[in-house]
Amino acid sequence: MILHKPLKPLDEALAQLMDYAVALPELEVVSTFDADGRVLAQDIVSTLQVPPQDNSSMDGYAVRCADLLQGPQVLPVTQRIAAGTAGVALAPFSAARIFTGAPVPDGADAVVMQEDCEALAGELVRINVTAQAGQWIRRAGEDISAGSVVLAKGARLSPAALGLAASVGMASLTVVRRPRVALFSTGDELVMPGDVAVQQMKPGSIYNSNRFFLRALLQRLGCEVSDLGIVPDRLEATVQALERAAHDHDLILTSGGVSVGEEDHIKPAVQSLGTLDLWHLAIKPGKPFAYGRVQQAHFIGLPGNPVSSFVTFLLLVRPFLLQLQGAGQVAVKAINMPAHFVLPKADKRREFMRARRNAQGGLDLFANQSSGVLTSAVWADGLVDNPPGRTIAYGDMVRFIPLLEMLG
Ligand code: AMP
Ligand code: MG
């Protein structure tokens, strides 16, 4: 009798994996220009307020509202304040020509936009409207108050965050160092585009596609990648590759060879050098998945089927790598959307189906959901996360995870 190991729920696998993902202790200081995608290792506390002083949000005239209570007024223009300069206190019954971003002078309590004014000869202006106190003025500190935490430790830096850090004077930022990842593909059938031309492909050969998207995904997640290429389906070769990969890397990531067939050497190879857990995940695509350790390095073995590899990377390796970098927030934001497709036959595993948002605000499903069809992952802009055993009728609300949530 063959005893099948029970399938492991994704959440259980993820929780276990996250327990292993202890943040790297080494920090580095990088230029704010180069910090996109990195994880902050310290709170950024602003020592100044932003904007530093009240300033105009319009081109126009700074005035005192009280001077305009009687309706349109002709006032002398006593000063000109451009962005980057500072004016002087505004005397009663006068106006200051002012431009966007320029500090509002003491005494002025409103800006009237130039469209509501008429410049007259002799340095005069007719203000054609009344004004509300505070209009067209950006208040000092309305973005950031002095002493506030503008970016917290553990934040993953986005382009906007770099701008925010710069706005409080940070030219460099302390971040967790990049994880060093050794990547290799297993499979005697694999050849490299560029090495073997299409016409020269032997029967049974396929191009190595996983290597390309895995390297790109790792780089997007801030990793330094050592690409060790393709390892043949032999135990000794696999052991050698792992030994080499363990040296000086935080994570060894492989694709393929992780099942328990005769040509799958990852399991015995890792076990001969360290420890390995082989999980049969209760998800589709992506059943076999391995976590282990080789010396000080983490080991993660992804399935060989391209879509399984892609999906398990996004669901498991991505949060793992972010936590290694000290990221505080690793969960993705899913949204509920109506299915514009049907799923009459449920799977007993939790399914991650390649889907795409349509112009009607619903989701279309890629027709072929096979784990070998990488076209589906290119066509899709997200994954429908469907619980085990659930059929879907047209219009049912389903959980959708945008790919963009996970690719950056
Ligand atoms: P394996 O997990 O090694 O049994 O591989 C499962 C399936 O994925 C087989 O059809 C392999 O040919 C295919 N496969 C494995 N690795 C790759 C790869 N790097 N690129 C494309 N297909 C792969
Ligand atoms: Mg294989």
Side-chain angles (χ1 to χ4, degrees), residues 65-296:
C65 294
D67 298 349
L68 302 175
L69 292 176
Q70 314 306 324
Q73 281 285 330
V74 174
L75 299 173
V77 179
T78 51
Q79 55 183 318
R80 186 177 187 279
I81 314 169
T85 64
V88 296
L90 187 74
F93 290 100
S94 70
R97 181 72 171 121
I98 195 164
F99 299 91
T100 303
V104 174
D106 285 347
D109 59 2
V111 170
V112 178
M113 62 167 97
Q114 63 191 19
E115 290 81 350
D116 291 330
C117 306
E118 202 178 322
L120 304 174
E123 299 297 315
L124 297 173
V125 61
R126 189 202 326 271
I127 312 282
N128 289 322
V129 291
T130 58
Q132 301 278 320
Q135 75 179 33
W136 306 123
I137 293 175
R138 301 191 280 224
R139 288 295 174 200
E142 76 174 26
D143 186 357
I144 297 163
S145 54
S148 64
V149 175
V150 293
L151 293 165
K153 177 180 174 181
R156 194 146 180 252
L157 295 163
S158 63
L162 303 186
L164 190 64
S167 78
V168 301
M170 303 297 294
S172 60
L173 298 168
T174 305
V175 298
V176 179
R177 79 156 161 83
R178 294 179 184 279
R180 291 189 279 266
V181 182
L183 172 68
F184 65 81
S185 326
T186 73
D188 284 345
E189 71 280 31
L190 301 176
V191 296
M192 285 298 291
D195 287 354
V196 180
V198 173
Q199 308 77 6
Q200 265 85 56
M201 293 275 279
K202 290 207 207 75
S205 297
I206 58 168
Y207 285 121
N208 185 347
S209 45
N210 298 1
R211 184 176 181 181
F212 289 82
F213 64 72
L214 290 175
R215 200 203 284 193
L217 287 169
L218 287 167
Q219 283 165 345
R220 282 198 182 200
L221 284 165
C223 300
E224 234 169 61
V225 184
S226 307
D227 189 334
L228 305 184
I230 300 168
V231 173
D233 286 325
R234 280 188 292 109
L235 184 61
E236 321 79 79
T238 312
V239 171
Q240 269 173 24
L242 285 168
E243 272 180 322
R244 193 149 69 93
H247 182 71
D248 225 18
H249 291 100
D250 304 299
L251 169 67
I252 305 168
L253 184 70
T254 66
S255 82
V258 85
S259 310
V260 283
E262 279 161 38
E263 298 296 341
D264 295 313
H265 300 292
I266 287 290
K267 187 169 186 246
V270 177
Q271 279 170 335
S272 77
L273 297 168
T275 56
L276 184 90
D277 276 332
L278 181 59
W279 298 334
H280 294 286
L281 300 175
I283 60 169
K284 189 181 168 189
K287 202 151 102 183
F289 183 95
Y291 174 83
R293 297 209 55 119
V294 178
Q295 297 160 25
Q296 89 308 331

Side-chain angles (χ1 to χ4, degrees), residues 30-102:
V30 296
S31 158
T32 303
F33 280 120
D34 301 326
D36 184 29
R38 305 297 296 273
V39 179
L40 259 187
Q42 57 181 193
D43 287 347
I44 303 296
V45 179
S46 179
T47 53
L48 78 170
Q49 56 178 358
V50 180
Q53 61 269 309
D54 289 359
N55 69 89
S56 177
S57 63
M58 280 288 169
D59 292 338
Y61 292 85
V63 296
R64 308 167 76 105
C65 294
D67 298 349
L68 302 175
L69 292 176
Q70 314 306 324
Q73 281 285 330
V74 174
L75 299 173
V77 179
T78 51
Q79 55 183 318
R80 186 177 187 279
I81 314 169
T85 64
V88 296
L90 187 74
F93 290 100
S94 70
R97 181 72 171 121
I98 195 164
F99 299 91
T100 303

